[in-house]
């Protein structure tokens, strides 16, 4: 299923990160309309680690994992 692009610039307004993603998607949309390129946009929830295995521990997921070491448990989540 192909997602449709968000054309309304007010949706990401106010968050620099969301704004930059929105602009990048608009550039890729224009490229697909004006050239033979067929870009694919992948929206990832979290990306972990760099080449050295370092992850920003203030992000929500690594914070949860770090807390689980102290609590000796993980949340009971639905899904995979």
């Amino acid at each position: 299923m192909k997602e449709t692009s968000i054309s309304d610039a007010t949706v990401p307004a106010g968050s620099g990160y969301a704004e930059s993603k929105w602009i990048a998607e608009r550039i890729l949309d224009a490229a697909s309309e004006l050239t033979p390129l067929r870009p694919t946009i992948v929206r990832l929830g979290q990306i972990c680690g760099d080449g050295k295995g370092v992850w920003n521990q203030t992000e929500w997921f690594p914070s949860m994992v770090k807390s689980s070491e102290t609590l000796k448990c993980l949340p009971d989540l639905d899904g995979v």
Side-chain angles (χ1 to χ4, degrees):
M1 177 173 95
K2 184 179 179 194
E3 288 188 28
T4 57
S5 297
I6 298 170
S7 58
D8 182 1
T10 62
V11 173
S15 168
Y17 178 72
E19 290 170 355
S20 67
K21 289 179 64 139
W22 184 84
I23 291 167
E25 289 184 12
R26 298 299 62 73
I27 291 169
L28 292 174
D29 283 344
S32 71
E33 291 175 14
L34 302 172
T35 71
L37 296 174
R38 295 295 164 243
T40 299
I41 297 169
V42 179
R43 296 180 183 103
L44 302 173
Q46 286 279 319
I47 299 176
C48 64
D50 64 4
K52 297 177 183 146
V54 178
W55 199 357
N56 180 354
Q57 292 188 15
T58 62
E59 297 279 340
W60 75 271
F61 189 77
S63 293
M64 181 180 62
V65 172
K66 189 73 174 163
S67 298
S68 73
E69 292 176 330
T70 302
L71 298 171
K72 305 291 188 232
C73 65
L74 287 167
D76 185 11
L77 302 172
D78 291 335
V80 226

Coordinates of all heavy atoms in Angstrom, one line a residue:
M1 N 0.8 -1.2 0.0 CA 0.0 0.0 0.0 C 0.9 1.2 0.0 O 1.8 1.4 0.8 CB -0.9 0.0 1.2 CG -1.7 1.2 1.4 SD -2.9 1.1 2.7 CE -2.0 1.9 4.0
K2 N 0.6 2.1 -0.9 CA 1.4 3.3 -1.0 C 0.8 4.5 -0.2 O -0.4 4.7 -0.4 CB 1.6 3.8 -2.5 CG 2.5 5.0 -2.6 CD 2.7 5.4 -4.0 CE 3.5 6.6 -4.0 NZ 3.6 7.4 -5.1
E3 N 1.6 5.1 0.6 CA 1.1 6.3 1.4 C 1.1 7.5 0.5 O 1.9 7.6 -0.4 CB 2.0 6.5 2.6 CG 1.8 5.5 3.7 CD 2.6 6.0 4.9 OE1 2.8 7.2 5.2 OE2 3.0 5.1 5.7
T4 N 0.1 8.4 0.8 CA 0.1 9.6 0.0 C 1.0 10.6 0.8 O 1.1 10.6 2.0 CB -1.3 10.1 -0.1 OG1 -1.9 10.3 1.2 CG2 -2.1 9.2 -1.0
S5 N 1.6 11.5 0.1 CA 2.4 12.6 0.7 C 1.5 13.6 1.3 O 0.4 13.9 0.9 CB 3.2 13.3 -0.4 OG 4.1 12.4 -0.9
I6 N 2.0 14.2 2.4 CA 1.3 15.3 3.0 C 1.7 16.6 2.3 O 2.9 17.0 2.3 CB 1.7 15.4 4.5 CG1 1.3 14.1 5.2 CG2 1.0 16.6 5.2 CD1 1.8 13.9 6.6
S7 N 0.7 17.3 1.7 CA 1.1 18.5 1.0 C 0.9 19.7 1.8 O 1.5 20.8 1.5 CB 0.2 18.6 -0.3 OG -1.2 18.6 0.1
D8 N 0.2 19.7 2.9 CA -0.1 20.8 3.8 C 1.1 21.1 4.7 O 1.5 20.4 5.6 CB -1.3 20.5 4.7 CG -1.7 21.7 5.6 OD1 -1.0 22.8 5.5 OD2 -2.7 21.5 6.3
A9 N 1.8 22.2 4.4 CA 3.0 22.6 5.1 C 2.8 22.9 6.6 O 3.7 23.0 7.4 CB 3.7 23.8 4.5
T10 N 1.5 23.2 7.0 CA 1.2 23.5 8.4 C 1.3 22.2 9.3 O 1.4 22.4 10.5 CB -0.1 24.2 8.6 OG1 -1.2 23.3 8.1 CG2 -0.2 25.5 7.8
V11 N 1.2 21.1 8.7 CA 1.2 19.8 9.5 C 2.6 19.7 10.2 O 2.6 19.4 11.4 CB 0.9 18.6 8.6 CG1 1.1 17.3 9.4 CG2 -0.5 18.7 8.1
P12 N 3.7 19.8 9.6 CA 5.0 19.6 10.3 C 5.5 20.9 11.0 O 6.5 20.9 11.6 CB 5.9 19.2 9.2 CG 5.5 19.9 8.0 CD 4.0 19.9 8.1
A13 N 4.8 22.0 10.7 CA 5.3 23.3 11.2 C 5.5 23.4 12.7 O 4.7 22.9 13.5 CB 4.3 24.4 10.8
G14 N 6.6 23.9 13.1 CA 6.9 24.1 14.5 C 7.9 23.1 15.1 O 8.5 23.3 16.1
S15 N 8.2 22.0 14.3 CA 9.2 21.1 14.7 C 10.2 21.0 13.6 O 9.9 20.5 12.5 CB 8.5 19.7 14.9 OG 9.5 18.7 15.0
G16 N 11.4 21.4 13.9 CA 12.5 21.5 12.9 C 12.7 20.1 12.3 O 12.9 20.0 11.1
Y17 N 12.7 19.1 13.1 CA 12.9 17.7 12.6 C 11.8 17.3 11.6 O 12.1 16.9 10.5 CB 13.0 16.7 13.7 CG 13.1 15.3 13.3 CD1 14.4 14.9 12.8 CD2 12.1 14.4 13.4 CE1 14.6 13.6 12.4 CE2 12.3 13.0 13.0 CZ 13.5 12.7 12.5 OH 13.7 11.4 12.1
A18 N 10.5 17.5 12.0 CA 9.4 17.2 11.1 C 9.4 18.1 9.8 O 9.1 17.6 8.7 CB 8.1 17.4 11.8
E19 N 9.8 19.3 10.0 CA 9.9 20.3 8.9 C 10.9 19.8 7.9 O 10.7 19.8 6.6 CB 10.2 21.7 9.3 CG 9.0 22.3 10.1 CD 9.4 23.6 10.7 OE1 10.6 24.0 10.7 OE2 8.5 24.3 11.3
S20 N 12.1 19.4 8.4 CA 13.1 18.9 7.4 C 12.8 17.7 6.7 O 13.1 17.5 5.5 CB 14.5 18.8 8.2 OG 14.4 17.7 9.1
K21 N 12.1 16.8 7.4 CA 11.6 15.5 6.7 C 10.6 15.9 5.7 O 10.6 15.3 4.6 CB 11.0 14.6 7.8 CG 12.0 13.9 8.7 CD 11.4 13.0 9.7 CE 10.7 11.9 9.0 NZ 10.8 10.6 9.5
W22 N 9.7 16.8 6.0 CA 8.6 17.2 5.0 C 9.3 17.8 3.8 O 8.9 17.5 2.7 CB 7.7 18.2 5.7 CG 6.5 18.6 4.8 CD1 5.3 18.0 4.7 CD2 6.5 19.8 4.0 NE1 4.5 18.6 3.8 CE2 5.2 19.8 3.3 CE3 7.3 20.8 3.7 CZ2 4.8 20.7 2.4 CZ3 6.9 21.8 2.8 CH2 5.7 21.8 2.2
I23 N 10.3 18.7 4.0 CA 11.0 19.3 2.8 C 11.7 18.2 2.0 O 11.6 18.3 0.8 CB 11.9 20.4 3.3 CG1 11.2 21.6 3.9 CG2 12.9 20.8 2.2 CD1 12.0 22.6 4.7
A24 N 12.3 17.3 2.6 CA 13.0 16.2 1.9 C 12.0 15.4 1.1 O 12.3 15.1 -0.1 CB 13.8 15.3 2.9
E25 N 10.9 15.1 1.6 CA 9.8 14.4 0.9 C 9.3 15.2 -0.3 O 9.1 14.6 -1.3 CB 8.7 14.0 1.8 CG 9.2 12.9 2.8 CD 8.0 12.4 3.7 OE1 6.8 12.7 3.4 OE2 8.3 11.6 4.6
R26 N 9.2 16.5 -0.1 CA 8.7 17.3 -1.2 C 9.8 17.3 -2.4 O 9.4 17.3 -3.5 CB 8.5 18.8 -0.8 CG 7.4 19.0 0.2 CD 6.0 18.6 -0.1 NE 5.7 17.2 -0.4 CZ 5.7 16.2 0.5 NH1 5.9 16.5 1.8 NH2 5.5 15.0 0.2
I27 N 11.0 17.4 -2.0 CA 12.1 17.3 -3.0 C 12.0 16.0 -3.8 O 12.2 16.0 -5.0 CB 13.5 17.5 -2.3 CG1 13.6 19.0 -1.8 CG2 14.6 17.2 -3.3 CD1 14.8 19.2 -1.0
L28 N 11.9 14.9 -3.0 CA 11.8 13.6 -3.7 C 10.5 13.5 -4.6 O 10.6 12.9 -5.6 CB 11.8 12.5 -2.7 CG 13.1 12.3 -1.9 CD1 13.0 11.3 -0.8 CD2 14.2 12.0 -2.9
D29 N 9.4 14.1 -4.1 CA 8.2 14.1 -4.9 C 8.4 14.8 -6.2 O 8.0 14.4 -7.3 CB 7.0 14.7 -4.2 CG 6.4 13.8 -3.2 OD1 6.6 12.6 -3.2 OD2 5.7 14.4 -2.3
A30 N 9.1 16.0 -6.2 CA 9.4 16.8 -7.4 C 10.3 16.0 -8.3 O 10.2 16.0 -9.5 CB 10.1 18.1 -7.0
A31 N 11.3 15.3 -7.7 CA 12.2 14.5 -8.5 C 11.5 13.4 -9.3 O 11.8 13.2 -10.4 CB 13.3 13.9 -7.6
S32 N 10.5 12.8 -8.6 CA 9.8 11.7 -9.3 C 8.9 12.3 -10.4 O 8.6 11.6 -11.3 CB 9.0 10.9 -8.3 OG 7.9 11.7 -7.8
E33 N 8.4 13.5 -10.3 CA 7.6 14.1 -11.3 C 8.4 14.6 -12.5 O 7.9 14.6 -13.6 CB 6.7 15.2 -10.7 CG 5.7 14.7 -9.7 CD 4.9 15.9 -9.1 OE1 5.0 17.0 -9.5 OE2 4.2 15.6 -8.1
L34 N 9.6 15.1 -12.2 CA 10.4 15.8 -13.3 C 11.5 15.0 -13.9 O 12.1 15.4 -14.9 CB 11.0 17.1 -12.7 CG 10.0 18.1 -12.1 CD1 10.8 19.2 -11.3 CD2 9.1 18.6 -13.2
T35 N 11.8 13.8 -13.3 CA 12.9 13.0 -13.8 C 12.4 11.5 -13.9 O 11.3 11.2 -13.4 CB 14.1 13.0 -12.9 OG1 13.8 12.3 -11.7 CG2 14.5 14.4 -12.6
P36 N 13.2 10.6 -14.5 CA 12.8 9.2 -14.4 C 13.1 8.5 -13.1 O 12.8 7.3 -12.9 CB 13.7 8.6 -15.5 CG 14.8 9.5 -15.8 CD 14.3 10.9 -15.3
L37 N 13.6 9.3 -12.1 CA 13.9 8.7 -10.8 C 12.6 8.3 -10.1 O 11.5 9.0 -10.2 CB 14.6 9.7 -9.9 CG 16.0 10.1 -10.4 CD1 16.5 11.2 -9.5 CD2 16.9 8.9 -10.4
R38 N 12.6 7.2 -9.4 CA 11.4 6.7 -8.6 C 11.9 6.5 -7.2 O 12.1 5.4 -6.7 CB 10.9 5.4 -9.2 CG 10.3 5.6 -10.6 CD 9.1 6.5 -10.6 NE 8.7 7.0 -11.9 CZ 8.8 8.3 -12.3 NH1 9.1 9.2 -11.4 NH2 8.4 8.6 -13.5
P39 N 12.0 7.6 -6.4 CA 12.5 7.5 -5.0 C 11.5 6.7 -4.1 O 10.3 6.7 -4.4 CB 12.6 8.9 -4.6 CG 11.8 9.7 -5.5 CD 11.7 9.0 -6.8
T40 N 12.0 6.2 -3.1 CA 11.2 5.5 -2.1 C 11.4 6.2 -0.8 O 12.6 6.3 -0.4 CB 11.6 4.0 -2.0 OG1 11.4 3.4 -3.3 CG2 10.8 3.3 -0.9
I41 N 10.4 6.5 -0.1 CA 10.5 7.1 1.2 C 10.2 6.1 2.3 O 9.1 5.4 2.2 CB 9.5 8.3 1.4 CG1 9.9 9.4 0.3 CG2 9.5 8.9 2.8 CD1 8.9 10.5 0.2
V42 N 11.1 5.9 3.2 CA 10.9 4.9 4.3 C 10.8 5.7 5.6 O 11.7 6.4 5.9 CB 12.0 3.9 4.3 CG1 11.8 2.9 5.5 CG2 12.1 3.2 3.0
R43 N 9.7 5.6 6.3 CA 9.5 6.3 7.6 C 9.8 5.3 8.7 O 9.0 4.5 9.1 CB 8.1 6.9 7.7 CG 7.9 7.9 6.6 CD 6.5 8.5 6.7 NE 6.2 9.5 5.7 CZ 5.5 9.2 4.6 NH1 5.0 8.0 4.4 NH2 5.4 10.1 3.7
L44 N 11.0 5.4 9.3 CA 11.3 4.6 10.4 C 11.0 5.2 11.8 O 11.1 6.4 12.0 CB 12.9 4.3 10.4 CG 13.4 3.7 9.1 CD1 14.9 3.7 9.1 CD2 12.9 2.3 8.9
G45 N 10.6 4.3 12.7 CA 10.2 4.8 14.0 C 11.5 5.1 14.8 O 11.6 6.2 15.4
Q46 N 12.4 4.2 14.8 CA 13.7 4.4 15.6 C 14.8 3.8 14.8 O 14.6 2.7 14.1 CB 13.6 3.7 16.9 CG 12.8 4.3 17.9 CD 13.5 5.5 18.6 OE1 14.7 5.4 18.9 NE2 12.8 6.6 18.8
I47 N 16.0 4.4 14.8 CA 17.2 3.8 14.2 C 18.2 3.8 15.4 O 18.4 4.7 16.1 CB 17.8 4.7 13.1 CG1 16.8 4.8 12.0 CG2 19.1 4.1 12.6 CD1 17.2 5.7 10.8
C48 N 18.8 2.6 15.6 CA 19.6 2.5 16.8 C 21.1 2.3 16.3 O 21.4 1.7 15.4 CB 19.2 1.3 17.6 SG 19.3 -0.3 16.9
G49 N 21.9 3.0 17.1 CA 23.3 2.8 17.0 C 24.0 3.5 15.8 O 23.4 3.8 14.9
D50 N 25.3 3.7 16.0 CA 26.1 4.2 14.9 C 27.1 3.1 14.6 O 26.9 1.9 15.0 CB 26.7 5.5 15.2 CG 27.7 5.4 16.3 OD1 28.0 4.3 16.8 OD2 28.2 6.5 16.7
G51 N 28.1 3.4 13.9 CA 29.1 2.4 13.6 C 29.8 1.8 14.8 O 30.4 0.7 14.7
K52 N 29.7 2.5 15.9 CA 30.4 2.0 17.1 C 29.3 1.4 18.1 O 29.7 1.1 19.2 CB 31.1 3.1 17.8 CG 32.2 3.7 17.0 CD 32.9 4.9 17.6 CE 34.0 5.4 16.7 NZ 34.2 6.8 16.7
G53 N 28.1 1.3 17.7 CA 27.0 0.8 18.5 C 26.5 1.8 19.6 O 25.9 1.3 20.6
V54 N 26.7 3.1 19.4 CA 26.2 4.1 20.3 C 24.8 4.5 20.0 O 24.5 4.7 18.8 CB 27.2 5.3 20.3 CG1 26.7 6.3 21.3 CG2 28.6 4.8 20.7
W55 N 24.0 4.7 21.0 CA 22.6 5.1 20.8 C 22.3 6.2 21.8 O 22.7 6.1 22.9 CB 21.7 3.9 21.0 CG 20.3 4.1 20.5 CD1 19.8 5.1 19.8 CD2 19.3 3.1 20.5 NE1 18.5 4.8 19.5 CE2 18.1 3.6 19.9 CE3 19.2 1.8 21.1 CZ2 17.0 2.9 19.8 CZ3 18.0 1.1 20.9 CH2 16.9 1.6 20.3
N56 N 21.6 7.2 21.4 CA 21.3 8.3 22.2 C 20.4 7.8 23.4 O 19.2 7.5 23.1 CB 20.6 9.5 21.5 CG 20.2 10.6 22.3 OD1 20.3 10.6 23.5 ND2 19.7 11.7 21.7
Q57 N 20.9 7.8 24.6 CA 20.1 7.2 25.7 C 19.0 8.0 26.2 O 18.2 7.6 27.0 CB 21.1 6.8 26.8 CG 22.0 5.7 26.5 CD 22.8 5.2 27.6 OE1 22.5 5.5 28.8 NE2 23.9 4.4 27.4
T58 N 18.8 9.2 25.7 CA 17.7 10.1 26.1 C 16.5 9.8 25.2 O 15.4 10.4 25.5 CB 18.1 11.6 26.1 OG1 18.4 12.0 24.8 CG2 19.2 11.8 27.0
E59 N 16.6 9.0 24.1 CA 15.5 8.7 23.3 C 14.6 7.7 24.1 O 15.0 7.1 25.0 CB 15.9 8.0 22.0 CG 16.8 8.8 21.1 CD 15.9 9.7 20.2 OE1 14.7 9.5 20.1 OE2 16.5 10.7 19.7
W60 N 13.3 7.7 23.8 CA 12.4 6.9 24.6 C 12.7 5.4 24.7 O 12.6 4.8 25.7 CB 10.9 7.1 24.1 CG 10.6 6.4 22.8 CD1 10.7 6.8 21.6 CD2 10.0 5.1 22.7 NE1 10.3 5.9 20.6 CE2 9.9 4.8 21.3 CE3 9.7 4.1 23.6 CZ2 9.4 3.6 20.9 CZ3 9.2 2.9 23.2 CH2 9.0 2.6 21.8
F61 N 13.0 4.8 23.5 CA 13.3 3.3 23.6 C 14.5 2.9 24.4 O 14.4 2.1 25.2 CB 13.3 2.8 22.1 CG 13.3 1.3 22.1 CD1 12.1 0.6 22.4 CD2 14.4 0.6 21.9 CE1 12.1 -0.8 22.4 CE2 14.5 -0.8 21.9 CZ 13.3 -1.5 22.2
P62 N 15.7 3.6 24.1 CA 16.8 3.2 24.9 C 16.6 3.6 26.4 O 17.2 2.9 27.2 CB 18.0 4.0 24.3 CG 17.4 4.9 23.3 CD 16.0 4.5 23.0
S63 N 15.9 4.6 26.7 CA 15.6 4.9 28.1 C 14.8 3.8 28.7 O 15.0 3.4 29.9 CB 14.8 6.2 28.2 OG 15.5 7.3 27.8
M64 N 13.8 3.3 28.0 CA 13.0 2.1 28.5 C 13.9 0.9 28.7 O 13.8 0.3 29.8 CB 11.9 1.8 27.5 CG 11.0 0.7 28.0 SD 9.7 0.2 26.9 CE 10.6 -0.2 25.4
V65 N 14.8 0.6 27.8 CA 15.7 -0.5 28.0 C 16.6 -0.3 29.2 O 16.8 -1.2 30.0 CB 16.5 -0.8 26.7 CG1 17.6 -1.8 26.9 CG2 15.6 -1.2 25.5
K66 N 17.2 0.9 29.3 CA 18.1 1.2 30.4 C 17.3 1.1 31.7 O 17.9 0.5 32.7 CB 18.7 2.6 30.2 CG 19.8 2.9 31.2 CD 21.0 2.2 30.8 CE 22.2 2.7 31.7 NZ 23.3 1.8 31.7
S67 N 16.1 1.6 31.8 CA 15.3 1.5 33.0 C 15.0 0.0 33.3 O 14.9 -0.3 34.5 CB 14.0 2.2 32.8 OG 14.2 3.6 32.6
S68 N 14.8 -0.8 32.3 CA 14.5 -2.2 32.6 C 15.6 -2.9 33.3 O 15.4 -3.9 34.0 CB 14.2 -2.9 31.3 OG 15.3 -3.1 30.5
E69 N 16.8 -2.5 33.1 CA 18.0 -3.1 33.8 C 17.8 -2.9 35.3 O 18.1 -3.8 36.1 CB 19.3 -2.5 33.4 CG 19.7 -2.8 31.9 CD 20.9 -2.2 31.5 OE1 21.3 -1.0 32.0 OE2 21.6 -2.7 30.6
T70 N 17.4 -1.7 35.7 CA 17.2 -1.4 37.1 C 15.9 -2.1 37.7 O 15.9 -2.6 38.8 CB 17.1 0.1 37.4 OG1 18.3 0.7 36.9 CG2 16.9 0.5 38.8
L71 N 14.8 -2.0 36.9 CA 13.5 -2.5 37.3 C 13.5 -4.1 37.2 O 12.6 -4.7 37.8 CB 12.4 -1.9 36.5 CG 12.3 -0.4 36.6 CD1 11.3 0.1 35.6 CD2 11.8 0.0 38.0
K72 N 14.4 -4.6 36.5 CA 14.4 -6.1 36.2 C 13.1 -6.6 35.5 O 12.6 -7.7 35.8 CB 14.6 -6.9 37.5 CG 15.9 -6.5 38.3 CD 17.1 -6.9 37.5 CE 18.3 -6.7 38.4 NZ 19.4 -5.9 37.8
C73 N 12.6 -5.7 34.7 CA 11.4 -6.1 33.9 C 11.2 -5.2 32.7 O 11.8 -4.1 32.6 CB 10.1 -6.1 34.7 SG 9.6 -4.4 35.3
L74 N 10.4 -5.6 31.7 CA 10.1 -4.8 30.5 C 8.6 -4.7 30.5 O 7.8 -5.5 31.0 CB 10.6 -5.6 29.3 CG 12.1 -5.5 29.0 CD1 12.5 -6.5 27.9 CD2 12.5 -4.1 28.6
P75 N 8.1 -3.7 29.8 CA 6.6 -3.5 29.6 C 6.0 -4.7 28.9 O 6.7 -5.3 28.0 CB 6.5 -2.2 28.8 CG 7.8 -1.6 28.7 CD 8.8 -2.6 29.1
D76 N 4.8 -5.0 29.2 CA 4.0 -6.0 28.5 C 3.3 -5.3 27.4 O 2.3 -4.6 27.5 CB 3.0 -6.7 29.5 CG 2.3 -7.8 28.9 OD1 2.7 -8.3 27.8 OD2 1.3 -8.3 29.5
L77 N 3.8 -5.5 26.1 CA 3.3 -4.8 25.0 C 2.6 -5.8 24.0 O 3.0 -6.9 23.9 CB 4.4 -4.1 24.2 CG 5.3 -3.1 25.0 CD1 6.5 -2.7 24.2 CD2 4.4 -1.9 25.4
D78 N 1.5 -5.3 23.4 CA 0.9 -6.1 22.4 C 1.7 -6.1 21.1 O 2.4 -5.1 20.9 CB -0.5 -5.5 22.1 CG -1.5 -5.7 23.2 OD1 -1.3 -6.6 24.0 OD2 -2.4 -4.9 23.4
G79 N 1.6 -7.1 20.3 CA 2.3 -7.1 19.0 C 3.5 -8.0 19.0 O 3.8 -8.7 20.0
V80 N 4.3 -7.8 18.0 CA 5.5 -8.7 17.9 C 6.7 -8.1 18.7 O 6.8 -6.9 18.8 CB 5.9 -8.8 16.4 CG1 6.3 -10.2 16.1 CG2 5.0 -8.2 15.5

